[in-house]
Amino acid sequence: MTLLLRLCGIALLTAFVALLLKQVRSPIVPLLIGTGLLLLFSAVFSRLQEGMTALRPLIHHETLGVYGELMLKSLGIALIVRFASDFCRDSGAESLAGALELAGKAEILFLCLPLFRELITLLEEVFG
């Protein structure tokens, strides 16, 4: 909880300073926002690494197995694409953000194809 409050503070402070600098048309606004993002990402990724260490035994449990790993990979793709597309939108590259989101959705779909095949095989066995 304390980390989250600090991250909110960093984000709000960065946004406030960027807003002030935008009014004077300073060219360092993208650099400032990029620096704020790097600070946030480094804190978030270190926290995620701790969480993954705790989740690893649960993911490799025989009940979850492939499904747990698939869920976490999909979540990771979704989070990374969301952060990158938001940054593109904030930079004014709306079409790039949309293309990136489409690529992320396609990647998750391709990641899930073996699961769909397994589901179809199971349905054929039950109803076939």
Side-chain angles (χ1 to χ4, degrees):
M1 181 72 155
T2 306
L3 176 65
L4 184 59
L5 292 175
R6 278 190 266 158
L7 293 177
C8 288
I10 291 170
L12 290 173
L13 181 64
T14 303
F16 179 72
V17 172
L19 185 63
L20 290 176
L21 290 175
K22 275 185 184 178
Q23 291 177 352
V24 295
R25 299 181 189 265
S26 176
I28 65 167
V29 171
L31 183 63
L32 174 69
I33 292 173
T35 304
L37 281 172
L38 284 175
L39 286 171
L40 291 174
F41 283 149
S42 65
V44 168
F45 285 131
S46 68
R47 184 77 171 151
L48 284 175
Q49 190 174 18
E50 293 172 17
M52 286 303 296
T53 303
L55 283 175
R56 189 163 280 122
L58 295 173
I59 293 169
H60 294 296
H61 192 271
E62 61 266 358
T63 308
L64 291 179
V66 177
Y67 306 115
E69 188 175 329
L70 182 66
M71 284 182 356
L72 284 177
K73 283 182 182 179
S74 297
L75 179 62
I77 291 168
L79 289 173
I80 290 169
V81 167
R82 178 63 188 257
F83 289 140
S85 67
D86 283 349
F87 184 74
C88 289
R89 268 196 192 85
D90 288 344
S91 300
E94 195 71 33
S95 59
L96 187 60
L100 187 58
E101 288 174 351
L102 180 64
K105 291 172 186 174
E107 184 65 29
I108 291 173
L109 176 67
F110 291 132
L111 188 65
C112 293
L113 281 178
L115 181 61
F116 291 139
R117 287 189 192 115
E118 188 176 320
L119 181 62
I120 289 171
T121 303
L122 181 64
L123 288 173
E124 286 175 346
E125 288 175 7
V126 170
F127 296 113

